[in-house]
Amino acid sequence: MSQTMKKKTNAGKKSVAAPDYRVKDLNLARLGRDEIRLAEQEMPGLMALRERYAGKKPLKGAKIAGSLHMTVQTAVLIETLADLGADVRWCSCNIFSTQDSAAAAVVVGRTESGGTVENPKGTPVFAWKGETLEEYWWCTEQTIQWPDGSGPNMILDDGGDLTLLVHKGVEFEKAGKVPNFNAKNDPEEWGVILDTIRNSIAENPKRFTEMAKAIKGVSEETTTGVHRLYEMQKAGKLLFPCINVNDSATKSKFDNLYGCRHSLVDGLNRATDVMLGGKVAVVCGYGDVGKGSAQSLRGQGCRVVITEIDPICALQACMEGYEVNTLDNMLEIADIFITATGNKDIITTDHMRRMKDKAIVANIGHFDNEIDMAGLAKDKNVRRHNIKPQYDEFVFGATPFAGKKRSTHSVLVLAEGRLMNLGCATGHPSFVMSASFTNQVMAQLDLYFNATGKPTLSGQKYEPGQVYILPKKLDEEVARLHLDKIGAKLTRLSKSQADYLGISQDGPYKADHYRY
Ligand SMILES: NC(=O)c1ccc[n+]([C@@H]2O[C@H](COP(=O)([O-])OP(=O)(O)OC[C@H]3O[C@@H](n4cnc5c(N)ncnc54)[C@H](O)[C@@H]3O)[C@@H](O)[C@H]2O)c1
């Protein structure tokens, strides 16, 4: 546990001695700055927004707390929000995904800020690669705590942890108590969240309630986080207006698909360096991430088998030439297993017990419950052998299983069952993240304009308790901003063609129900 972490951390009581950031090593900032400079070249959407709003500071007064993988690409997002006038604080949304060089460079600040390692002038970041769960939630809490004791008025989330913390904080403050942790049935992480809120309430019983009142909106990055938001909306528990960034076509149909096509094999190669060609690989889930993952593996010459629960996705997979089968049927045959469902309990310990010796098991979905890591840890017949950071061998003893005696075997698990493309590699490349993050900045602008009485970019009004998607016009604009960079020349509709189709020459070009 780090030195700063031992300090009591509550609103208004920040120690003067504690630096207002926590990263691995500020000396990595020079490398990070070079990486950010090169990424900017590949992120035309974000750079166009900087240019459009140069000198105008449309986010002045916005205090944005962000929880999203602290990578080089996220650094460009953070510095864009700051360029637009926002006061930003950041943590990662995953214990393994931080690129320490990027985190350091963001803290030191852009070259023109004059920040140095000795006197950083950038944005406070609380993130490093390889956090414990306690450290992760400490970082998350720091992100919503400004040095003057106030909280954020905007949240930018990936997976919904910041949103969850604020909502649960408000709920438990209202109830006047925090529920007890049930070590037998609750996930370990829930205990850490309960402790975080319990400590906060002991110091300030109204902290989250006051904070929530000031929050003007949330923009959410990923499928799993968006799923949580719609559940809260349905239950009438959602406190803020929210924008579902994931379901912009230029996010889920690009980042989830083409991003994973790039970064899935990157994670596999960096962790295992095993020859992928010729291997049998199972991808569980054929949604956007599953489609990209399957393409990624097929590109390397794997024979890919899909598991699905949804007949439409299963049929899509068949039409692309993949075999669709059940996991159970593939356990003794496949060499590589990837989970991409956003669901839980996909690969159990008993599944892994039946796999071939040295089968590779990895997850590319958001949380760590697709593969039963807790079950592996508890099983006395399984021994963990760490090969290197984020790469473990789990050795199964020779106990009989399902009536059959078998010899000892092991499975190789990436990133402790957490998203392997960010744990074992560096996530998606800049160009595709530019599209996702241009949507994020537009979402933040829209929610902030809405709250401050300015006309929104989308023309829509945002109400608390509701989840919105950015309109197609903005989605198309995000795509348009990326065409020049790759030399695409768009055809322009003639007036009579536009009239024939019943649309404007300037778009939107498709109806809202169109699926890309
Ligand atoms: N690693 C990354 O870079 C990255 C990027 C984007 C999204 N994500 C995450 O990846 C996950 C998947 O996202 P998505 O956009 O593809 O979601 P999606 O809803 O499009 O796809 C998930 C698919 O899994 C299927 N599924 C559910 N339960 C299943 C089961 N038991 N067996 C087999 N299939 C099952 C569903 O039918 C669906 O088709 C989410 O957690 C999301 O947040 C990760």
Side-chain angles (χ1 to χ4, degrees), residues 377-391:
K378 273 189 223 148
D379 195 320
K380 293 203 170 52
N381 197 34
V382 178
R383 183 171 54 83
R384 176 177 170 182
H385 171 68
N386 180 250
I387 294 175
K388 61 181 179 181
Q390 287 85 57
Y391 191 38

Side-chain angles (χ1 to χ4, degrees), residues 332-353:
E332 284 101 354
I333 299 167
D335 306 283
I336 299 164
F337 296 85
I338 306 292
T339 54
T341 68
N343 199 348
K344 63 171 190 167
D345 304 336
I346 302 301
I347 297 184
T348 64
T349 305
D350 281 346
H351 287 143
M352 290 183 267
R353 210 185 300 282

